[in-house]
Every structure is written in structure tokens, then in C-alpha cells.
Amino acid sequence: MKKVLPFLLVLLSTFLFSCSKKNDGDNAPNNGDGSWKMGSYTYVRGTSSQTSGPGGNGNTITAIAASTVGTGGSYGVFSGSALTITFYSNLGEGKYTLGTTEMMVASPAAKIISISCTIGTAVNTGAVLYAIAGGAATVTVDVTKDSNGKYHINMPAGATLTKKVVVQGGIADAKDTYDLTINNVY
């Protein structure tokens, strides 16, 4: 398990910083296709990257990084957002329970998915990363796979994410928690 966690961190970092360089074909957002709502702000997927690799113990880990492009919603200091999603895709499609990366690594046979959301990525004044707090969440996330082999993530019920990392001073008016919903992010 100790070998898997560093691999996960490297994998997530790679995708988070490269998501704006690779996409699924076009940079123009398709309204209603690939969006998420963090608090009162709705963000539309502009670019995304998705890859799978060995996750230890015979598991395959899939990481999805999706981000906005341009102004990222024109929400002032809240403009721009990025989602990072990881799960053991060898467990197949279906309903996953939202949890932490540590929970996922500790229970590799359970359908646990880790999701984090960064807001303020389209401005240079600071950003904030949010993730699920420790402990089991009761929120389920739907994972499906399309005919092109891309995984699609939906979380219509929403979950409360907690402030985890503040970058460059963060966002002065950012709350400690926000509710996140996801519509067809891939």
C-alpha cells in the first residue's frame, strides 16, 4: 500500500498540471455536456484528460482531470475550476461511494471514488482546493463508460467538500465548505 500512494500522488499531479494541454478533441464547451456546480458557480468542461495505469494489488487506477478554459465562468476571483477524479476502474461501471484517496487505497476491492475541485484557476490572485473530509461519505457517484472507452462521472445528489489547500493566499471570500454536483464529466 505504501508503494501505491506515492504513485497516486505523482499520477494526480501529472494530470492536474497537464489537463490544459490535452483534450478530447475540441476546446469549445458543449453546453450541458460536462459541467459541475461548486456552491452557486457552474463550470463547464473545456479540456480534459483521462488515463489508466497500474494501481497496485492488480488494480487499474483511472484518473480524470477536467478544467475550464478562458475566463472559466467570469466569476471574478472564483473564475476557473478543475476537477480531479480517481478510482479503480477494474471494478467496472456502476455506483461508487465518494471517499478520500486514503480510503480508496485502503479498500482496493470497494467501489470508492476520490474527487477534488479547485476553484480560482483562471485568475492569478489565488486558488482553493476542496475535497471530501475524512470518514465515509454516503454520496454515490455514477460511473459509466462510453463506446470510445471514456469514463463519464455523474454526481447529481451532490456532496459537501471541505477546503484543503490554499494556493497564493487563496480566495478571500471562499467558504470553508461548498456543495459539489457533477453532470457528465469525462
Side-chain angles (χ1 to χ4, degrees):
M1 183 178 338
K2 288 184 179 184
K3 291 181 181 180
V4 175
L5 193 53
F7 173 76
L8 268 174
L9 294 174
V10 169
L11 185 66
L12 289 174
S13 297
T14 300
F15 294 114
L16 184 59
F17 293 113
S18 68
C19 66
S20 65
K21 296 178 181 143
K22 180 181 176 188
N23 63 47
D24 288 335
D26 68 306
N27 287 329
N30 182 354
N31 291 335
D33 185 29
S35 64
W36 56 98
K37 186 173 181 180
M38 187 72 161
S40 60
Y41 303 107
T42 300
Y43 300 98
V44 177
R45 179 186 72 90
T47 64
S48 63
S49 179
Q50 189 171 135
T51 194
S52 299
N57 297 325
N59 286 317
T60 301
I61 191 165
T62 293
I64 301 170
S67 65
T68 59
V69 294
T71 62
S74 297
Y75 300 130
V77 293
F78 292 89
S79 295
S81 180
L83 284 179
T84 304
I85 303 164
T86 55
F87 61 101
Y88 289 125
S89 57
N90 59 287
L91 300 176
E93 299 175 82
K95 296 210 178 282
Y96 283 67
T97 301
L98 182 62
T100 64
T101 302
E102 294 81 7
M103 292 167 59
M104 189 179 80
V105 171
S107 302
K111 286 187 170 184
I112 297 173
I113 190 167
S114 173
I115 300 174
S116 63
C117 182
T118 304
I119 57 174
T121 62
V123 295
N124 61 6
T125 55
V128 181
L129 171 87
Y130 290 84
I132 192 80
T138 57
V139 174
T140 57
V141 179
D142 296 315
V143 176
T144 58
K145 192 174 187 180
D146 66 25
S147 60
N148 295 322
K150 295 278 186 189
Y151 287 98
H152 292 246
I153 309 301
N154 286 285
M155 189 172 64
T160 301
L161 301 187
T162 303
K163 188 185 291 187
K164 296 291 183 184
V165 179
V166 173
V167 178
Q168 291 183 335
I171 301 170
D173 294 331
K175 296 180 182 178
D176 289 336
T177 63
Y178 283 107
D179 287 339
L180 172 72
T181 58
I182 299 173
N183 176 43
N184 195 35
V185 168
Y186 57 97

